[in-house]
C-alpha cells in the first residue's frame, strides 16, 4: 500500500464525513434528519422532511463524496483494489462521520458515486435497478439492497477488473442495512412516501388532548 494510496484513503474518509443531509437541512431550516423521520441522514429521509429539491441536493452531494476521491485516484493511476478501499473509506466517512459525532447514513449514494467513475453504463444499471425496485415495492431500502446484490454482476459485465472492489462496497452497504432488513421482516419498515408512523402511545395522547 503506497503512501499516496494511504493519503487518498484518509482524504476520502474526511470528505465522506461531511454530512450533506445535516448541512442542507440546516440551510433550509428543516429538522435535523438524525432526529426526525427515519433518523437516517440521507436523501430519502430529507425527501420526507423537506421535499424533492432538498433531497436532490443531498443525493448529489453524497454521490460527489464518493466520486471525487475515487475519480482523482483513478486519474493518478492507483490500482483497482486500492480504488475499492478508497471508495469504502468515503462510505465509512458517510456512515461514521468524524465531524458529526459518528452518526451518519447508510452510504448508498456515496457508494454509487464511488462506482460512477467505472462507467456511465454501470451507473445507469445501478440507478435503474434501484428505481425499478423502489417503484415496485415502495421501499428505498429494498432498492438499495437489490442494487447492491446485483452490483458485482453488473460490474463484471462492464469492467471485470473492478468486480472485487465493487463487491466490497456491496458488502458494506448490505451490512449497514441490517436494521432495515429486520424491519422489513417484521413489517415495520417505512415506505418512501409515508410519514413516520405514530406509536400507540402518541396516538392515545393525541386522542386525550383532542
Amino acid at each position: 500500500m503506497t503512501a499516496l494510496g494511504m493519503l487518498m484513503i484518509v482524504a476520502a474518509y474526511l470528505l465522506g464525513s461531511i454530512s450533506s443531509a445535516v448541512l442542507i437541512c440546516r440551510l433550509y431550516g428543516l429538522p435535523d434528519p438524525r432526529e426526525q423521520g427515519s433518523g437516517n441522514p440521507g436523501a430519502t429521509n430529507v425527501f420526507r422532511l423537506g421535499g424533492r429539491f432538498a433531497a436532490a441536493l443531498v443525493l448529489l452531494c453524497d454521490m460527489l463524496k464518493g466520486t471525487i476521491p475515487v475519480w482523482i485516484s483513478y486519474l493518478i493511476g492507483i490500482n483497482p483494489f486500492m480504488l475499492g478501499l478508497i471508495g469504502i473509506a468515503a462510505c465509512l466517512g458517510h456512515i461514521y462521520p468524524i465531524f458529526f459525532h459518528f452518526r451518519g447514513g447508510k452510504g448508498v449514494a456515496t457508494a454509487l458515486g464511488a462506482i460512477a467513475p467505472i462507467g456511465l453504463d454501470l451507473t445507469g444499471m445501478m440507478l435503474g435497478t434501484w428505481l425499478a425496485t423502489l417503484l415496485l415495492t415502495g421501499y428505498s431500502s429494498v432498492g438499495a439492497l437489490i442494487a447492491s446484490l446485483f452490483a458485482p454482476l453488473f460490474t463484471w459485465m462492464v469492467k471485470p477488473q473492478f468486480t472485487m472492489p465493487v463487491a466490497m462496497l456491496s458488502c458494506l452497504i448490505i451490512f449497514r442495512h441490517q436494521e432495515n432488513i429486520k424491519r422489513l421482516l417484521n413489517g415495520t419498515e417505512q415506505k418512501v412516501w409515508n410519514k413516520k408512523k405514530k406509536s400507540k402511545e402518541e396516538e392515545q395522547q393525541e386522542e386525550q388532548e383532542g
Side-chain angles (χ1 to χ4, degrees):
M1 187 177 292
T2 65
L4 184 57
M6 284 294 298
L7 178 63
M8 290 306 302
I9 287 174
V10 173
Y13 172 77
L14 293 176
L15 181 61
S17 290
I18 300 173
S19 182
S20 310
V22 174
L23 294 177
I24 288 171
C25 282
R26 288 178 184 174
L27 179 65
Y28 284 92
L30 299 171
D32 189 328
R34 296 169 299 178
E35 306 296 340
Q36 298 291 326
S38 67
N40 179 57
T44 301
N45 198 30
V46 172
F47 173 75
R48 296 189 187 101
L49 299 173
R52 296 177 183 176
F53 185 72
L57 283 178
V58 172
L59 179 64
L60 176 62
C61 291
D62 283 351
M63 287 183 66
L64 287 175
K65 292 193 299 185
T67 300
I68 291 171
V70 172
W71 183 249
I72 291 173
S73 301
Y74 176 78
L75 290 177
I76 61 179
I78 291 178
N79 66 66
F81 180 76
M82 282 296 296
L83 291 178
L85 295 181
I86 292 164
I88 288 174
C91 290
L92 287 173
H94 178 82
I95 296 169
Y96 305 108
I98 192 172
F99 305 128
F100 292 86
H101 308 291
F102 302 100
R103 295 178 61 194
K106 303 295 184 184
V108 178
T110 304
L112 180 62
I115 291 172
I118 297 176
L120 293 178
D121 45 3
L122 176 60
T123 306
M125 286 189 285
M126 294 289 296
L127 281 172
T129 301
W130 175 81
L131 182 59
T133 307
L134 171 63
L135 293 175
L136 286 171
T137 68
Y139 295 107
S140 177
S141 56
V142 176
L145 288 166
I146 296 299
S148 296
L149 287 171
F150 277 95
L153 174 62
F154 292 154
T155 307
W156 178 79
M157 293 167 58
V158 176
K159 288 187 179 179
Q161 66 270 33
F162 292 100
T163 302
M164 180 58 70
V166 169
M168 293 162 61
L169 279 171
S170 294
C171 290
L172 176 62
I173 298 304
I174 293 169
F175 172 78
R176 182 58 175 153
H177 279 76
Q178 291 180 83
E179 293 302 318
N180 299 84
I181 294 171
K182 291 177 183 177
R183 289 195 295 268
L184 285 165
L185 292 174
N186 62 32
T188 59
E189 179 76 334
Q190 296 181 61
K191 292 190 175 183
V192 171
W193 43 79
N194 286 354
K195 294 181 179 180
K196 185 179 180 181
K197 294 182 179 179
K198 297 176 182 178
S199 66
K200 290 182 179 179
E201 290 79 8
E202 290 172 328
E203 290 176 351
Q204 291 172 355
Q205 183 178 355
E206 287 185 359
E207 288 175 1
Q208 291 171 359
E209 292 173 351

